[in-house]
Amino acid sequence: MTTWTNDELSRIENADELEIAPLRGNGTPRKPVPIWVVREGDHLYVRSYRGSDGSWWRAALASHAGHVRAGGVDKEVTFVEESDACVNDRIDSAYRAKYSRYGGSYVAPMIASRDTTLKLVPR
């Protein structure tokens, strides 16, 4: 299993946004969408601001594969659902710490969307 390097983790963690392009059913990438990304330990996580209604999230869930780009890092990834409550608590904290400057009206939907948490696993 491939893992992120420390450099990749730091560069993506320090980026404000990540461009995510899940694969369509025919294997071609969707148009990249900018989203927020957080680091928790040696892992990177994303959530859908629109919850399960987010089109990029539905595509990611269907394909479990795609491409991400942030901080000069370009990677093919596998999307893995994260349902562990303790991990999600730490991800909530990471979203609050990284994005609190945008205010509660932006951060609160990310916390409420914890059922859409996906771990980004490099391929």
Side-chain angles (χ1 to χ4, degrees):
M1 179 177 189
T2 306
T3 59
W4 297 104
T5 67
N6 285 332
D7 181 60
E8 290 170 332
L9 286 166
S10 293
R11 290 167 65 188
I12 294 172
E13 175 184 26
N14 291 321
D16 216 29
E17 293 182 325
L18 172 134
E19 289 185 357
I20 191 166
L23 298 184
R24 294 183 178 98
N26 67 5
T28 61
R30 294 171 50 95
K31 181 180 175 185
V33 175
I35 62 169
W36 287 355
V37 59
V38 295
R39 177 179 179 179
E40 204 297 298
D42 290 335
H43 303 288
L44 298 168
Y45 296 92
V46 295
R47 290 178 175 167
S48 171
Y49 179 84
R50 298 186 188 283
S52 59
D53 291 333
S55 60
W56 74 262
W57 182 82
R58 290 191 316 269
L61 197 60
S63 69
H64 292 282
H67 185 87
V68 297
R69 180 175 40 222
V73 177
D74 270 287
K75 282 283 191 182
E76 300 298 319
V77 295
T78 299
F79 302 114
V80 179
E81 294 173 79
E82 181 57 71
S83 59
D84 182 281
C86 292
V87 172
N88 270 290
D89 287 345
R90 293 191 301 270
I91 294 167
D92 290 349
S93 295
Y95 271 105
R96 287 184 188 104
K98 183 173 180 179
Y99 296 108
S100 63
R101 69 185 181 277
Y102 292 104
S105 62
Y106 289 100
V107 176
M110 300 307 291
I111 305 307
S113 297
R114 66 190 286 164
D115 62 328
T116 67
T117 304
L118 297 175
K119 182 187 333 185
L120 306 177
V121 180
R123 292 190 276 143

